[in-house]
Amino acid sequence: MPRQNVHILSHFSILGKMLSPLRAKILFTLLGAAIIGGGIFFRMSESNEASEVRIQNTQSLFAETSPAATGVASAATSTATANMPVPILVYHIVRPSYPSDSRAVRALAHTPQVFDAEMKYLGDAGYHVTTFAALESHLEHGTPLPINPIILSFDDGWSDQFTYAFPILEKYHYPAEFFVFTNPIGHRGFLSWDELRTMLKAGMIIGDHTRSHPFLTKIADPAKLWDEIDGSKLLIEKTLGITVNEFAYPFGQYDATTTALVKKAGYKAARGDYLSRNATGPTLSELYALGALNAPTTTEAFMLRFPKR
Ligand SMILES: [Zn+2]
């Protein structure tokens, strides 16, 4: 099921290149209405409520790790992150929970109350929220980082992040980086360009997460691969008038080829899989393979992962 949807998205992106924007829009709408059991776009035959539920339950599709790897059990048994000098947290879904939420969604989702409690705890426990830019400059030039630094990131560009997480980040004055893939920007359920502009103005950072969220290591066509990595970057930069310096590999998957292209496209750093790759670092050589972890979805698990400093 998840792969099917990802597949559908990548077909959308290929089609998009062959068609004028208007024709593409019409075709996408028709396709969206016709695809059975897949697709994240609005289906015309569907009631609003059914459509909402379907969108809500697609929110685990693009997650960078299996839900089994998150949550209380793994938090209690893992000490890896306690040794990570610069933990990078990943959030996907921040919104109220609904009875219709799938297990996969529940395993990844934070209610606004839990998210607020985690943000408050970070400050109370002696952590200092910093940025990828600060980490890059630390590794490249030795610029000092704050003590007990931690980086916050959000993946996949769900509009809930704007509605629920962004006001809480503003409340605590925490910068966070939002990794968006460009094809669904402005579609129902996803952030719009205007929302991205609003977040930028408030000090948030926008990172790149490709055009269609594919498994990059499985793309055989070099032009397609380059477009996913570089084309999406240029689109965000042109539309928002910014420079995009960070990249997050979809599903955390990368290899030597993708990393080389990410460097060539001009990114300064890239976030990879969820292994504690930077348990003793990160070092300069790991800037394009930064390890990260999904934020624990209960405050108890969060506190276990990040003990008071
Ligand atoms: Zn993703």
Side-chain angles (χ1 to χ4, degrees):
M1 183 72 174
R3 283 201 187 174
Q4 247 177 7
N5 279 281
V6 170
H7 225 82
I8 289 162
L9 279 177
S10 55
H11 287 310
F12 271 57
S13 74
I14 293 163
L15 276 168
K17 270 184 276 173
M18 304 186 316
L19 296 165
S20 74
L22 179 63
R23 278 191 196 162
K25 206 172 172 186
I26 293 166
L27 185 62
F28 285 3
T29 308
L30 291 173
L31 274 174
I35 291 164
I36 296 165
I40 52 174
F41 297 100
F42 181 59
R43 267 187 244 149
M44 294 170 86
S45 60
E46 210 169 34
S47 73
N48 269 0
E49 199 184 339
S51 166
E52 278 304 322
V53 167
R54 186 172 50 77
I55 288 171
Q56 283 153 10
N57 279 315
T58 60
Q59 290 187 304
S60 60
L61 279 185
F62 307 108
E64 276 60 33
T65 189
S66 67
T70 65
V72 181
S74 60
T77 52
S78 170
T79 54
T81 50
N83 301 320
M84 284 168 78
V86 190
I88 299 169
L89 278 179
V90 184
Y91 288 89
H92 289 89
I93 309 163
V94 180
R95 59 162 169 76
S97 61
Y98 304 113
S100 55
D101 283 345
S102 68
R103 265 183 70 180
V105 164
R106 280 173 202 281
L108 282 170
H110 292 72
T111 63
Q113 292 74 18
V114 168
F115 180 68
D116 192 312
E118 290 184 357
M119 294 302 100
K120 180 174 188 308
Y121 171 80
L122 280 181
D124 293 348
Y127 291 87
H128 293 91
V129 175
T130 188
T131 60
F132 285 95
L135 177 61
E136 289 151 21
S137 138
H138 174 69
L139 294 177
E140 280 169 9
H141 311 294
T143 316
L145 284 168
I147 54 161
N148 305 322
I150 191 163
I151 294 173
L152 305 174
S153 59
F154 287 79
D155 275 24
D156 304 331
W158 298 107
S159 58
D160 296 328
Q161 296 169 357
F162 179 83
T163 311
Y164 297 105
F166 171 51
I168 295 168
L169 291 166
E170 280 198 295
K171 177 168 118 184
Y172 293 102
H173 306 288
Y174 289 162
E177 183 141 349
F178 290 77
F179 288 98
V180 295
F181 62 112
T182 55
N183 282 0
I185 293 177
H187 286 267
R188 188 167 177 176
F190 290 90
L191 294 166
S192 67
W193 290 111
D194 273 346
E195 287 167 341
L196 292 172
R197 284 185 192 99
T198 302
M199 293 201 292
L200 273 171
K201 272 190 211 143
M204 303 297 145
I205 304 115
I206 308 303
D208 189 288
H209 201 34
T210 71
R211 279 191 194 273
S212 70
H213 207 289
F215 283 92
L216 290 174
T217 54
K218 292 181 182 166
I219 296 177
D221 176 2
K224 157 86 175 149
L225 185 56
W226 179 242
D227 186 53
E228 288 282 356
I229 293 169
D230 185 61
S232 53
K233 181 179 195 284
L234 296 179
L235 176 63
I236 298 172
E237 292 184 336
K238 195 177 154 210
T239 311
L240 297 177
I242 58 169
T243 303
V244 175
N245 289 321
E246 288 82 28
F247 184 80
Y249 303 101
F251 310 105
Q253 301 291 301
Y254 59 92
D255 57 16
T257 305
T258 48
T259 299
L261 291 178
V262 165
K263 284 184 193 173
K264 188 181 163 195
Y267 293 101
K268 291 183 175 173
R271 208 197 63 206
D273 58 29
Y274 287 75
L275 303 173
S276 51
R277 193 173 293 277
N278 54 355
T280 54
T283 62
L284 191 55
S285 66
E286 290 168 331
L287 255 185
Y288 292 88
L290 295 170
L293 73 149
N294 277 348
T297 53
T298 67
T299 39
E300 294 75 17
F302 193 89
M303 288 157 79
L304 273 173
R305 283 268 194 184
F306 301 104
K308 269 198 179 5
R309 299 289 186 166

